[in-house]
Amino acid sequence: MKKVIYIWLVKLVSRWKRVKNPQDIVYLMSFAGNEHLIKAFADLAKQLGRNFTVLYLPQCQAAATRLAAEGIQTVEFTDGFDFVFHKLQLVMQARLLLCDNYYAFLSGCAFDHQQTHIVQLWHANGAIKTFGWEELTTARRSAADKRRFQKVYDQFDEYLIGSKKMAQVFVQSYHVPQTRMNVIGYPRTDELFNKNWQMQVSQNIKRKHPDIIGKEIILYTPTYRENEVGKPVMNFSEDFGQFVNQLSGNQRLIIKFHPHVKSFEKQFKQQLDSDKVIWVDDFSTNDLLLVADRLITDYSSVIFDYSLLPNAKQILFYCYDYDQYAQRVGIQADFKSWIPGKMVTTTSDLIKEVQQPLEATDFTEFNQLWNTANDGHATERVLQTELKYIQK
């Protein structure tokens, strides 16, 4: 009932705050990592004499601080009365509204789609987990919840994506028409093609962590997990310590948690106290991909980025809880048919794989499927595409 009242309030206030001829550009940020695109839109807005605002959720504070330091207007928000009565107006003033996620409040916003163009950028370059209508919990939701979900999905006039494969996922997951899909490239991947960035970041990592130089680096990025009540959890398999113990003298393991479970890091640092394990707190997962010879993950979208890098050699899928995860969270039905690496479900099998000589994987077929339009120039195409809506 609270959600119903809140969305009703959003609808009422959004009608009140809606302007006749909106001019602003607004970016809704729930994930960091797309700052390159944000800066590009900020520059474009400045050239056109338009206001540009980043509305960000609290978990993006660090990224927002960096953007603010460059003169970009950033405003923190969370759902609540303060947002509805003070910050919703910023959304309703948008000629172009860029979103990186599902935002529930959008279901109540009374947009004039002839005046406001709403774009879904998403926060991942591909999909392993199910979401939207494909998410297993959706079937158990009430009819009112389902109607509210679809209202959000329907608000997006355009989905900017990097492949027809991702378009297919959105069409199925959000029940929206294929005509809204724009396979233009995923802007966040542009950085992955930047040779200067690759060299600078990898050198910085090695300078600050010289113990990785000359070693075979294995990066482990377990995905974000929640318990039954939706709170973040982080569990290693019970015998994961055996894997650490079996690493060779020339191998080093970097473990990087999802930002939402960072609070668990201290516990596991104590549990996995080994000179073969390196904890890197001063670089992002995206940065660490640049020094990884092998990537171990499970259901994380990091694979879609890693496969584009020149140093990428091997991906191993350590899915020790595959059946449980598939039944509780949901995994894309064809996952096993296109993963670009071996899937193992036991620690002993993971040990066997890592003890094998490292051989480079050819990611061409995988990238043709998921990274079709990602070539390092997506941002340029996105700006050009959205310019016509800004100048409308």
Side-chain angles (χ1 to χ4, degrees), residues 99-100 110 379:
C99 310
D100 71 355
T379 297

Side-chain angles (χ1 to χ4, degrees), residues 361-374:
T361 301
D362 184 354
F363 292 107
T364 302
E365 185 176 348
F366 175 74
N367 286 329
Q368 287 174 345
L369 181 65
W370 285 103
N371 284 309
T372 320
N374 296 325

Side-chain angles (χ1 to χ4, degrees), residues 102 122 129-139 141 146 149-150 153 169-170 172-175 329 332:
Y102 168 99
W122 207 235
K129 305 170 207 174
T130 56
F131 59 90
W133 288 103
E134 298 290 297
E135 188 174 345
L136 300 180
T137 58
T138 300
R141 302 298 289 266
K146 293 174 182 177
F149 298 158
Q150 193 60 49
Y153 310 151
V169 172
F170 269 122
Q172 293 175 343
S173 301
Y174 274 7
H175 290 183
V329 178
Q332 296 294 326

Side-chain angles (χ1 to χ4, degrees), residues 10 13-20 22-23 26 87-95 97 105 109-112 116:
V10 168
V13 174
S14 68
R15 288 184 180 278
W16 172 35
K17 297 289 186 180
R18 189 170 68 188
V19 296
K20 188 174 183 180
Q23 295 294 311
V26 176
K87 297 169 184 175
L88 179 59
Q89 182 172 359
L90 295 170
V91 176
M92 300 310 299
Q93 291 172 180
R95 168 76 68 177
L97 180 61
F105 76 85
C109 289
F111 292 109
D112 178 353
T116 299

Side-chain angles (χ1 to χ4, degrees), residues 13 74 98 100 136 185 225 237 252 261 273 326 330:
V13 174
T74 61
L98 303 160
D100 71 355
L136 300 180
R225 289 169 168 81
S237 60
R252 293 294 180 270
V261 294
D273 184 17

Side-chain angles (χ1 to χ4, degrees), residues 25-45 52-56 60 63-64 66-68 70 72-74 98 100 121 187-188 379 382-383:
I25 304 172
V26 176
Y27 188 105
L28 297 180
M29 181 168 68
S30 64
F31 281 84
N34 217 4
E35 288 88 336
H36 174 74
L37 179 69
I38 291 173
K39 292 174 186 177
F41 268 109
D43 290 342
L44 178 62
F52 178 76
T53 304
V54 176
L55 279 168
Y56 68 94
C60 296
R66 292 192 296 270
L67 292 170
E70 298 196 29
I72 297 173
Q73 179 176 317
T74 61
L98 303 160
D100 71 355
L121 296 160
R188 196 172 67 82
T379 297
V382 168
L383 289 176

Side-chain angles (χ1 to χ4, degrees), residues 95-350:
R95 168 76 68 177
L96 178 66
L97 180 61
L98 303 160
C99 310
D100 71 355
N101 209 336
Y102 168 99
Y103 293 92
F105 76 85
L106 290 175
S107 68
C109 289
F111 292 109
D112 178 353
H113 284 264
Q114 295 300 313
Q115 297 289 327
T116 299
H117 187 68
I118 306 173
V119 176
Q120 176 58 261
L121 296 160
W122 207 235
H123 49 272
N125 187 30
I128 293 179
K129 305 170 207 174
T130 56
F131 59 90
W133 288 103
E134 298 290 297
E135 188 174 345
L136 300 180
T137 58
T138 300
R140 301 193 292 270
R141 302 298 289 266
S142 68
D145 284 343
K146 293 174 182 177
R147 286 194 297 270
R148 188 173 68 252
F149 298 158
Q150 193 60 49
K151 284 181 180 179
V152 175
Y153 310 151
D154 290 339
Q155 290 282 32
F156 303 119
D157 298 300
E158 185 178 19
Y159 292 73
L160 303 184
I161 46 184
S163 66
K164 290 182 179 179
K165 180 65 176 174
M166 193 60 180
Q168 179 186 3
V169 172
F170 269 122
V171 169
Q172 293 175 343
S173 301
Y174 274 7
H175 290 183
V176 289
Q178 182 76 37
T179 52
R180 296 190 187 184
M181 302 297 142
N182 189 350
V183 183
I184 195 172
Y186 185 55
R188 196 172 67 82
T189 62
D190 284 356
E191 187 177 57
L192 303 175
F193 292 87
N194 187 323
K195 302 293 184 183
N196 290 332
W197 172 78
Q198 293 171 8
M199 182 175 65
Q200 182 179 352
V201 172
S202 60
Q203 287 178 348
N204 287 343
I205 295 174
K206 291 173 183 177
R207 185 174 65 253
K208 292 188 177 183
H209 302 276
D211 45 343
I212 72 171
I213 296 174
K215 305 296 183 184
E216 180 189 299
I217 303 303
I218 303 169
L219 176 63
Y220 180 38
T221 59
T223 197
Y224 172 70
R225 289 169 168 81
E226 294 179 348
N227 61 16
E228 290 74 12
V229 295
K231 290 187 177 182
V233 294
M234 185 63 243
N235 296 312
F236 284 128
S237 60
E238 293 182 1
D239 55 356
F240 188 76
Q242 295 179 23
F243 169 71
V244 174
N245 294 334
Q246 292 297 317
L247 292 174
S248 73
N250 192 52
Q251 291 175 322
R252 293 294 180 270
L253 176 68
I254 298 178
I255 301 175
K256 195 67 174 177
F257 288 146
H258 190 284
H260 292 173
V261 294
K262 192 169 178 61
S263 59
F264 293 89
E265 202 164 282
K266 183 178 179 180
Q267 169 192 342
F268 287 108
K269 281 182 178 179
Q270 295 173 345
Q271 183 177 332
L272 297 173
D273 184 17
S274 169
D275 59 3
K276 294 178 182 178
V277 178
I278 301 172
W279 299 89
V280 180
D281 300 322
D282 46 352
F283 290 92
S284 68
T285 301
N286 227 40
D287 293 338
L288 293 173
L289 293 177
L290 290 167
V291 297
D293 298 298
R294 305 186 200 236
L295 173 67
I296 300 175
T297 188
D298 36 35
Y299 323 107
S300 171
S301 61
V302 70
I303 65 169
F304 303 105
D305 296 334
Y306 181 67
S307 65
L308 289 171
L309 293 171
N311 60 283
K313 296 184 180 69
Q314 183 187 68
I315 302 176
L316 293 172
F317 293 83
Y318 180 40
C319 303
Y320 57 88
D321 60 349
Y322 181 84
D323 291 336
Q324 176 188 357
Y325 196 91
Q327 292 171 10
R328 191 167 64 83
V329 178
I331 298 173
Q332 296 294 326
D334 58 351
F335 168 67
K336 292 182 181 180
S337 70
W338 49 254
I339 55 172
K342 182 170 285 190
M343 188 181 95
V344 297
T345 57
T346 66
T347 302
S348 60
D349 284 340
L350 180 65

